[in-house]
Amino acid sequence: MSPLATRLTAAALAAALGGTLLSPTPATAAGSASSAAPAVAPAAAASSDFGYVITFPKHVHRGGSLVYSVKVRNRKARGQHYVALVGDFSKRFRKIRVISKPRSVKCSVKGRSLSCWITSLDRGDSTTVRIRAWAGSRRGTATATFGVIATSDADADIRKLRKEIKRKIKASTRIR
C-alpha cells in the first residue's frame, strides 16, 4: 500500500473512531482533549471542542536534544477557558526544559514531568508550547506522553486535573 493510501486509510479510520489521528510521518501527532467533569472544576466543553497537535522528530542521536511543539486550539467552545497541558517523559530522557511559550502560559518542570496552565483560551484561539528534551546515552525508544484537559474554572488545581485526563497521546522517538 502506498504511503498516501495508508495515510488516507488511517485518517478515515480515525474519523470513524472519534477523530483522534496519530501520524508519526511527518512526525506529528494530533488528538482531542478529554473534558470529563473533574471533581474540582466542571469542564465546560465537549472533547471535540479542544484539540492539540504534537510535532516531534522521529530520530535523535544519543546524548542529543529534540524539540516537541505542542499546539493547543479551542475549536468551538464559547467563552473563556483554561487548559491544563501535562507531559510525562520516559527514563530515556536526561532532562527537559520549556524553551518557548506565551506570557499567558505558566509552566513547571519537575524531574521528567511537565505541567502547563494555559489561561485565556477563547473560541478560535490557539497557543504553542515548545519543550526541549535531552536524550540519554543508550539506544532505544524514548517516549513522551502528553494530555490536555479544559475547564472554565480559573482556580482549578492542575494536580487534581492531571488525574482526570482520559485521553493521552504518546510521542515515540528512536535514539540511535
Side-chain angles (χ1 to χ4, degrees):
M1 196 178 239
S2 72
L4 178 62
T6 304
R7 287 184 191 169
L8 292 175
T9 304
L13 180 62
L17 293 176
T20 302
L21 176 65
L22 282 176
S23 174
T25 306
T28 61
S32 297
S34 173
S35 66
V40 294
S47 62
S48 63
D49 292 347
F50 288 87
Y52 60 108
V53 176
I54 304 165
T55 307
F56 60 99
K58 288 173 50 175
H59 302 284
V60 66
H61 290 286
R62 289 178 279 176
S65 66
L66 58 151
V67 176
Y68 291 89
S69 293
V70 182
K71 184 174 186 177
V72 180
R73 178 177 300 250
N74 180 349
R75 292 185 185 144
K76 54 187 171 183
R78 294 183 186 265
Q80 186 174 7
H81 292 281
Y82 304 91
V83 177
L85 167 67
V86 297
D88 292 317
F89 291 77
S90 68
K91 291 184 179 184
R92 297 278 184 179
F93 292 104
R94 288 184 290 139
K95 67 177 182 175
I96 62 171
R97 180 179 294 159
V98 177
I99 58 171
S100 159
K101 65 177 182 61
R103 277 190 272 166
S104 63
V105 177
K106 307 290 185 239
C107 290
S108 68
V109 176
K110 292 182 182 173
R112 288 185 299 271
S113 294
L114 168 77
S115 297
C116 291
W117 184 248
I118 302 169
T119 59
S120 183
L121 201 60
D122 297 325
R123 182 179 183 182
D125 287 349
S126 65
T127 189
T128 303
V129 177
R130 295 181 65 206
I131 303 110
R132 180 167 304 223
W134 283 267
S137 60
R138 291 186 164 184
R139 293 179 188 222
T141 302
T143 304
T145 305
F146 293 96
V148 174
I149 190 164
T151 183
S152 60
D153 184 11
D155 299 324
D157 186 12
I158 196 166
R159 291 171 295 192
K160 292 181 181 176
L161 286 176
R162 181 185 272 266
K163 296 176 185 174
E164 298 295 326
I165 295 174
K166 301 269 189 267
R167 180 171 299 196
K168 296 184 178 184
I169 299 291
K170 287 188 178 184
S172 296
T173 301
R174 191 85 180 136
I175 300 174
R176 296 184 197 183

